[in-house]
Amino acid sequence: MSNRRSFLKKLTTASVGASLLPFSSFARPATRANSKYKKGLVISTWNHGIPANKAAWNIIKNGGTAVDAAEMGAREVEKDPTGQSVGIGGLPDRDGNVTLDACIMDSNGNAGSVAYLEEILHPISVARKVMDDTPHVMLAGDGAQRFALDNGFEKTNLLTEASRQAWLKWAKEAKYAPIINIENHDTIGLISMDKNGDLAGSCTTSGVAYKMNGRVGDSPIIGAGLFVDNEVGAATATGMGEFVMKTLGSFLIVEFMRQGMSPQEACEEGIRRIVERYDVSSIQVGYLATNKAGEVGAFAIHPGFNYALYKNGKNELFNSPSHL
Ligand code: ASP
């Protein structure tokens, strides 16, 4: 463990507990905050990160912006009917409704988000429209759908036969109880850096499978499922959203990076914030982060979280290290 890290650990556990470190405690390390990586990169969650990164990279390699890349990468996964955790084909809630959550942030600190959106194929693009064309950050439910329809999006049945069958099978044995479960957690969270060194991100999901009707997770919440600060870095989350929301994980990780931590150290501290407060024996959360220098980090509570990184001409899957 580096001296800096053990110092941070001592400081966080001993004197300031679980609170944020005072900003003035740290000079910004020149190698982190000041060096800009200008070759572009994309990082995203799970196996579907590979096609998502590819779609995002197609934008970046042609000189496109990070935010266009973030949107295109997310769309690639949303439109795949075989994926049961994002967009069409997503597993429904306990009552059989597919409800989608998504958010996007650009490099100017703008943000857009939709929650509990039904029957729209590309929630990430609706979130982008909220960001670009309204004075608001978040639209939810019927209002979000009306906004989408008014802006040329069409109604699509998102419940595929495979997901309907899976739900019917689940419903046969399921005791209908409004409990949090970990039956499914495969959101796509994606961070892109363009060749100008600018950062953006996207996050889109059908949420936890067989959730209570009306449940919204971390993925559309700016600062929880995603946070981008173009001066510092960006982070995104997957897993049991309630724990990401209770600790505002992505914002926390970006703030840790602002204080001088590497993306890896910051992701580990973000997970530590959860595991030191909650029983995580059946809870999975995974974080991904990158900074302006193009360094990346990943950390999860349990083994099994993986991510795709497109950097230096290679698009590869990596297993994240974990707390347990
Ligand atoms: N984070 C998502 C949620 O809680 C689940 C996931 O990662 O798939 O809605």
Side-chain angles (χ1 to χ4, degrees):
M1 191 183 288
S2 69
N3 287 344
R4 157 170 272 281
R5 190 146 161 243
S6 49
F7 165 71
L8 286 174
K9 282 227 150 116
K10 263 185 225 137
L11 197 62
T12 45
T13 45
S15 57
V16 292
S19 64
L20 280 172
L21 296 165
F23 178 69
S24 56
S25 306
F26 297 96
R28 284 189 187 191
T31 50
R32 298 239 159 87
N34 299 337
S35 70
K36 253 190 171 189
Y37 185 75
K38 292 243 186 172
K39 290 193 230 155
L41 68 85
V42 189
I43 184 167
S44 61
T45 52
W46 306 109
N47 291 347
H48 51 208
I50 291 284
N53 284 3
K54 211 170 151 212
W57 187 255
N58 276 339
I59 304 285
I60 292 171
K61 77 167 186 229
N62 295 319
T65 61
V67 70
D68 284 345
E71 183 184 357
M72 288 314 288
R75 283 174 66 99
E76 193 65 22
V77 183
E78 286 178 340
K79 74 182 183 202
D80 176 3
T82 63
Q84 291 188 303
S85 53
V86 178
I88 188 164
L91 289 168
D93 66 15
R94 288 166 189 265
D95 303 324
N97 312 295
V98 180
T99 68
L100 304 178
D101 299 333
C103 76
I104 190 161
M105 275 191 92
D106 72 11
S107 44
N108 297 315
N110 297 311
S113 146
V114 288
Y116 197 90
L117 179 61
E118 293 182 275
E119 294 181 290
I120 300 290
L121 184 58
H122 286 301
I124 198 66
S125 295
V126 185
R128 173 98 192 248
K129 270 232 159 294
V130 173
M131 174 173 80
D132 289 347
D133 296 351
T134 82
H136 306 302
V137 169
M138 188 173 206
L139 293 179
D142 289 348
Q145 193 193 61
R146 207 173 320 129
F147 172 77
L149 297 175
D150 287 348
N151 280 281
F153 294 83
E154 283 170 14
K155 275 198 182 183
T156 308
N157 176 19
L158 301 176
L159 186 62
T160 56
E161 193 47 31
S163 290
R164 199 176 75 87
Q165 289 303 334
W167 167 63
L168 288 173
K169 187 162 171 244
W170 170 85
K172 239 185 246 162
E173 282 129 45
K175 242 175 87 206
Y176 189 101
I179 52 157
I180 288 166
N181 58 51
I182 53 163
E183 285 149 0
N184 187 287
H185 42 73
D186 282 354
T187 294
I188 175 98
L190 182 148
I191 300 164
S192 49
M193 184 189 273
D194 61 29
K195 289 188 176 171
N196 195 37
D198 288 328
L199 287 164
S202 56
C203 189
T204 179
T205 191
S206 52
V208 176
Y210 317 131
K211 59 197 175 187
M212 282 179 74
N213 179 245
R215 182 263 187 190
V216 170
D218 61 310
S219 306
I221 308 294
I222 300 298
L226 176 74
F227 197 72
V228 178
D229 182 327
N230 199 38
E231 275 195 14
V232 176
T236 190
T238 182
M240 201 61 224
E242 280 67 10
F243 294 85
V244 178
M245 293 157 91
K246 285 189 264 199
T247 56
L248 208 55
S250 292
F251 179 76
L252 183 66
I253 287 168
V254 172
E255 289 307 298
F256 281 142
M257 290 194 284
R258 189 194 306 283
Q259 291 167 359
M261 288 189 203
S262 70
Q264 185 59 37
E265 290 167 336
C267 287
E268 291 179 23
E269 289 299 313
I271 290 293
R272 200 160 70 83
R273 187 63 64 91
I274 298 173
V275 302
E276 70 191 7
R277 284 191 191 168
Y278 305 103
D279 172 8
V280 294
S281 46
S282 60
I283 296 299
Q284 175 66 310
V285 169
Y287 286 125
L288 282 184
T290 187
N291 62 8
K292 291 292 278 184
E295 298 171 323
V296 302
F299 205 61
I301 298 175
H302 295 273
F305 172 47
N306 68 352
Y307 64 97
L309 171 64
Y310 202 129
K311 196 177 179 188
N312 294 326
K314 281 194 235 152
N315 192 16
E316 292 175 293
L317 280 175
F318 294 91
N319 290 322
S320 165
S322 62
H323 171 73
L324 293 170

